[in-house]
Structure formats: structure tokens, C-alpha cells
């Protein structure tokens, strides 16, 4: 929601001569450093998991801070990429609540420049890191032997989409995502008052944001996918999830759409509806990986 407020406030400084307002990368990627997680507190609060702290080396030497939540009855592993406000230390317990009823391991990672990860944040670097993290888990002797699902929320949904485009996944969850930054910019413009819409005729992505989104990704998906959105989400409303669902050329039994009642941009996965959908997704779509 901080991102939405920031973008809305920028409309107030648009000059009278402007026709197009360009959404820049630094409007979307807003890094914030934070300490690493309090492992002792998490282990006390979540005794069902074996919690391990690790760092994953990015291609340029940046160290990506990660926590692994492991359980003995796991049938799959979920790799989770959070949104722009996500840091592992702050949100790990909330993520654990979303997965608590599912027999899965889950892995959390701070984006570079966020939380306890090092490196300089940019959209291009975040997308590249996502594939690096996925590959590191696939090679892991414990986690790579079971199905690996990638779950991305908001900004993290583009990272999850990047991995799905580059690798063969066992399952994909896109939460609070959008079709493209162009479509999202048009939506943000539509929310402004009439005088602001008269000043700004078009909102367009600039630089690395141009052409980004999950519309093209879902058009070629060949893995099962679950789309999730909060009914009351005003940052990335459910119509984006619906459009992505419709654009996915998978048979109905291989794709699901979940619009969670009374939830917004940040908490759709923190709901009984999501936990039930995740259980069904695992039971119906995620298959054990063949030995070897």
C-alpha cells in the first residue's frame, strides 16, 4: 500500500504541459535494508519446522539472505518471492501461517538490497536472482528431490513469472499480479480525479519496466497454475488475475482462479480460502518427482 500512496502523490507534481507520465523503475523497486530474522524467536513460535538460515550467491557476488522452513512430512517445497514491502525478518511468521496446514517446506528470500541481502536492487537484477535462487534449490539434495512450486506476490509475482518462463516448474502461484505495467498504469490513471486525468492522458512504463508483466508469461505456461487475488485489492484488483487466468492456454483442470472475499492486496494468502485452495492444488496438480 505504501507504493500505491507514493504513486498517487506523484500525480500532484505533474506539470500542466504533461501528456504522459512515465512510471520509473525507482517507483516500483524500493529497497530497504533490515536485520536478519530472529531465529530463536521463530523456532519457539514455529516448533513444527526445522528452520535453517542460509545465503545464496548471486551471479555478481551479492549474497541473498534466505530462510528454509523444513518439515518431515513435506511432499513439496514452495519457493516464495514477496512483494515490494516484504522482508524475511518482518514477514516470515505470516508466511508460515499461510502454509501451516499444508505438508510443504517453504523457502523465503530477501530481494537484493532488501532485508539482510546485499547487492544493488534493480528489476533486471531481481529477475535474474529469482532464477539463480530456483536453480540453487533444484540442486539441493534435500529440496530438489521433491516437487518445487514457485509462489510470487505482487512485485514477487514477476520474479515467479520469470522463473516459470525460464524453467520447468512443478507448480506456479501468482498472487496480486498484473498483466503488464502498461495495463496497470492505465488502471492507476483511472483512479485519479478528473482534473488529474485531464493533465495526464497516459501512464506508461519507462526503462526496464517497458514490456514487463505476466501476460506473455502465462501465454506459454505448461505447468499447473493458481491465480490468487483479494476481492478488495485496490492496488492490483482481481480483474488482472481474471485476465491472466483467461490468457492461460491450459485446460480448466490445470489452472485455478481464487478471489478471496474481504481480503486486499497484502493478505489474500492469509485466509482459510487460500489454505483450502493450496491443499487442493497440491493434491490434484503436484505430482511426485520420479526417482533420479
Amino acid at each position: 500500500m505504501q507504493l500505491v500512496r507514493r504513486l498517487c502523490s506523484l500525480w500532484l507534481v505533474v506539470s500542466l504541459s504533461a501528456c504522459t507520465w512515465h512510471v520509473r523503475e525507482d517507483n516500483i523497486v524500493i529497497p530497504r535494508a533490515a536485520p536478519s530474522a530472529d531465529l530463536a524467536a521463530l523456532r519457539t513460535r514455529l516448533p513444527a519446522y526445522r528452520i535453517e538460515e542460509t545465503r545464496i550467491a548471486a551471479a555478481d557476488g551479492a549474497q541473498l539472505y534466505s530462510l528454509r522452513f523444513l518439515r518431515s512430512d513435506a511432499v513439496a517445497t514452495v519457493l516464495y518471492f514477496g512483494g515490494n514491502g516484504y522482508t524475511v525478518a518482518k514477514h516470515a511468521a505470516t508466511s508460515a501461517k499461510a502454509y501451516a496446514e499444508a505438508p510443504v517446506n517453504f523457502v523465503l528470500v530477501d530481494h537484493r538490497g532488501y532485508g539482510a541481502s546485499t547487492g544493488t536492487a534493480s528489476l533486471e537484477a531481481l529477475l535474474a536472482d529469482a532464477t539463480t535462487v530456483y536453480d540453487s534449490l533444484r540442486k539441493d539434495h534435500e529440496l530438489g528431490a521433491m516437487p518445487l512450486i514457485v509462489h510470487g506476490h505482487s512485485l514477487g509475482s514477476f520474479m515467479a513469472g520469470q522463473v516459470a518462463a525460464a524453467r520447468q516448474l512443478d507448480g506456479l502461484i501468482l498472487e496480486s499480479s498484473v498483466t503488464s505495467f502498461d495495463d496497470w498504469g492505465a488502471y492507476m490513471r483511472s483512479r485519479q480525479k478528473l482534473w488529474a486525468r485531464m493533465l495526464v492522458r497516459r501512464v506508461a512504463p519507462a526503462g526496464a519496466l517497458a514490456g514487463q508483466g505476466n501476460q506473455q508469461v502465462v501465454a506459454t505456461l505448461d505447468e499447473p497454475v493458481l491465480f490468487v487475488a483479494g476481492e478488495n485489492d485496490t492496488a492490483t484488483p482481481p480483474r488482472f488475475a481474471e485476465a491472466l487466468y483467461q490468457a492461460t492456454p491450459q485446460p480448466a483442470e490445470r489452472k485455478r482462479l481464487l478471489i478471496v472475499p474481504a481480503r486486499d492486496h497484502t493478505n489474500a494468502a492469509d485466509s482459510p480460502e487460500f489454505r483450502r485452495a493450496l491443499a487442493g492444488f497440491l493434491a490434484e496438480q503436484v505430482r511426485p518427482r520420479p526417482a533420479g
Side-chain angles (χ1 to χ4, degrees), residues 224-246:
V225 57
L226 169 62
F227 297 99
V228 182
E231 178 186 38
N232 299 332
D233 187 347
T234 58
T236 56
R239 66 181 180 86
F240 286 115
E242 292 165 355
L244 290 171
Y245 175 84
Q246 294 298 333

Side-chain angles (χ1 to χ4, degrees), residues 227-273:
F227 297 99
V228 182
E231 178 186 38
N232 299 332
D233 187 347
T234 58
T236 56
R239 66 181 180 86
F240 286 115
E242 292 165 355
L244 290 171
Y245 175 84
Q246 294 298 333
T248 303
Q250 294 271 48
E253 63 271 16
R254 295 269 290 174
K255 61 180 182 178
R256 289 183 169 213
L257 174 64
L258 173 66
I259 307 300
V260 185
R263 290 297 196 271
D264 57 31
H265 185 69
T266 61
N267 60 7
D270 184 13
S271 66
E273 291 85 356

